[in-house]
């Protein structure tokens, strides 16, 4: 026949794996009465081309292991159909029964036994029906296997994406914690280094009260000639300053702007004095 695989069993097995086809074995013997010309006919070769990798082998050599020969219960001449598998899909031989579960034989070639056609049923019509039955079934089986593979791949991809998102969220959370910790330490140092509260006559003094987003309040006195920059320095470490004064620390936004409530105005020019900003007397 023109359709047979010219290499050894292992090569034919790998070819079938790559092509996602079944492996059709013709195990011959010297006493065979089967007409081999049937395997050269167009119908046979069409079936092989569609569904199989065809390998004609020596029955005595391939069935050499006693366990394999006894479990498969094959007598040459015969046709055998195998589903090529990955070695990770098999149990340890010889405990598995090749008629009911996948095996690895020879080493590196895993397969599942699907069926055999042997005497006295061996005839041209029976062979065509045998190949058609298993060929059609393989299409359904391979489609289902591919669907499972795609679903498993989708689940793996989803799990991978979820892990990446969780890792990213963890890293972002860790980074924010580190930034908060660093900011808190810097503000604590600033609170410790903050000059003492200024005292001045009422007409030259400014008593400021700040309300923070967390609901806490802070108040402090300044002189008329102190700049808005000094007010921002105090506001920035007010949460830590409260703790140093015996109270409870509170959170101050990392970035903020000061504003007056009446008249409503945002205070941005930190170089100006409180007198220039008309924040006194207060």
């Amino acid at each position: 026949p023109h359709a047979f695989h010219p290499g050894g069993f292992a090569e034919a097995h790998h070819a079938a794996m790559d092509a996602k086809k079944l492996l059709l074995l013709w195990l011959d013997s010297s006493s065979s009465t089967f007409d081999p010309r049937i395997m050269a006919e167009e119908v046979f070769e069409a079936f092989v081309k569609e569904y199989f990798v065809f390998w004609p082998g020596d029955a005595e050599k391939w069935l050499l292991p006693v366990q394999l020969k006894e479990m498969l219960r094959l007598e040459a001449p015969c046709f055998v159909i195998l589903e090529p598998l990955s070695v990770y899909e098999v149990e340890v031989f010889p405990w598995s029964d090749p008629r009911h579960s996948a095996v690895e034989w020879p080493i590196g070639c895993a397969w599942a036994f699907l069926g055999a056609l042997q005497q006295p049923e061996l005839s041209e019509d029976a062979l065509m029906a045998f190949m058609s039955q298993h060929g059609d079934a393989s299409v359904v089986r391979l489609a289902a296997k591919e669907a499972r593979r795609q679903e498993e791949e989708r689940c793996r991809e989803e799990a991978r994406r979820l892990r990446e998102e969780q890792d990213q969220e963890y890293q972002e959370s860790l980074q924010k914690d580190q930034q908060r910790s660093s900011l808190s330490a810097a503000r604590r140092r600033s609170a410790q280094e903050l000059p003492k509260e200024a005292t001045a006559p009422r007409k030259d003094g400014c008593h400021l009260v700040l309300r923070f987003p967390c609901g806490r309040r802070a108040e402090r006195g300044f002189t008329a000639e102190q700049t808005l920059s000094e007010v921002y320095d105090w506001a920035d470490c007010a949460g830590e300053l409260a703790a140093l004064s015996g109270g409870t620390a509170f959170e101050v936004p990392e970035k903020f702007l000061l504003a007056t409530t009446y008249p409503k105005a945002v205070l941005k020019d930190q170089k100006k004095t409180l007198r220039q900003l008309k924040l006194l007397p207060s």
Side-chain angles (χ1 to χ4, degrees), residues 178-253:
Q178 292 172 341
Q179 290 173 345
R180 280 194 293 266
S181 178
S182 298
L183 180 61
S184 178
R187 284 174 166 173
R188 192 176 301 112
R189 288 192 299 270
S190 297
Q192 293 169 341
E193 298 169 359
L194 194 71
K196 290 184 178 181
E197 184 176 358
T199 57
R202 179 174 176 79
K203 65 184 181 64
D204 293 322
C206 181
H207 187 79
L208 299 181
V209 179
L210 299 182
R211 292 183 177 85
F212 293 87
C214 64
R216 294 287 295 271
R217 288 163 48 103
E219 51 187 285
R220 188 176 178 87
F222 293 87
T223 67
E225 301 310 317
Q226 285 184 278
T227 63
L228 181 62
S229 174
E230 294 174 84
V231 179
Y232 267 92
D233 290 342
W234 161 63
D236 188 61
C237 64
E240 297 297 330
L241 191 61
L244 293 176
S245 302
T248 304
F250 58 88
E251 184 176 357
V252 175

Side-chain angles (χ1 to χ4, degrees), residues 84-232:
L85 302 171
S86 161
V87 293
Y88 300 106
E89 298 178 81
V90 302
E91 299 176 18
V92 180
F93 186 83
W95 289 274
S96 55
D97 183 345
R99 277 189 172 264
H100 301 97
S101 59
V103 296
E104 181 181 357
W105 173 257
I107 299 298
C109 297
W111 45 266
F113 175 83
L114 299 183
L117 182 66
Q118 50 193 331
Q119 293 178 333
E121 291 83 10
L122 192 56
S123 67
E124 181 177 357
D125 290 342
L127 176 59
M128 298 304 126
F130 175 70
M131 295 173 69
S132 176
Q133 174 190 349
H134 286 283
D136 291 342
S138 74
V139 172
V140 176
R141 186 167 52 252
L142 287 173
K145 189 174 183 179
E146 177 63 17
R148 288 194 301 271
R149 186 197 66 77
Q150 291 181 2
E151 176 62 18
E152 291 169 358
E153 179 64 24
R154 187 194 65 78
C155 291
R156 284 193 295 269
E157 179 63 23
E158 179 66 19
R160 183 194 62 77
R161 185 188 61 79
L162 182 60
R163 285 195 302 271
E164 287 182 350
E165 288 180 356
Q166 291 173 338
D167 289 345
Q168 183 177 354
E169 289 173 358
Y170 172 75
Q171 290 300 327
E172 290 175 353
S173 175
L174 184 62
Q175 185 177 9
K176 288 180 180 178
D177 288 343
Q178 292 172 341
Q179 290 173 345
R180 280 194 293 266
S181 178
S182 298
L183 180 61
S184 178
R187 284 174 166 173
R188 192 176 301 112
R189 288 192 299 270
S190 297
Q192 293 169 341
E193 298 169 359
L194 194 71
K196 290 184 178 181
E197 184 176 358
T199 57
R202 179 174 176 79
K203 65 184 181 64
D204 293 322
C206 181
H207 187 79
L208 299 181
V209 179
L210 299 182
R211 292 183 177 85
F212 293 87
C214 64
R216 294 287 295 271
R217 288 163 48 103
E219 51 187 285
R220 188 176 178 87
F222 293 87
T223 67
E225 301 310 317
Q226 285 184 278
T227 63
L228 181 62
S229 174
E230 294 174 84
V231 179
Y232 267 92

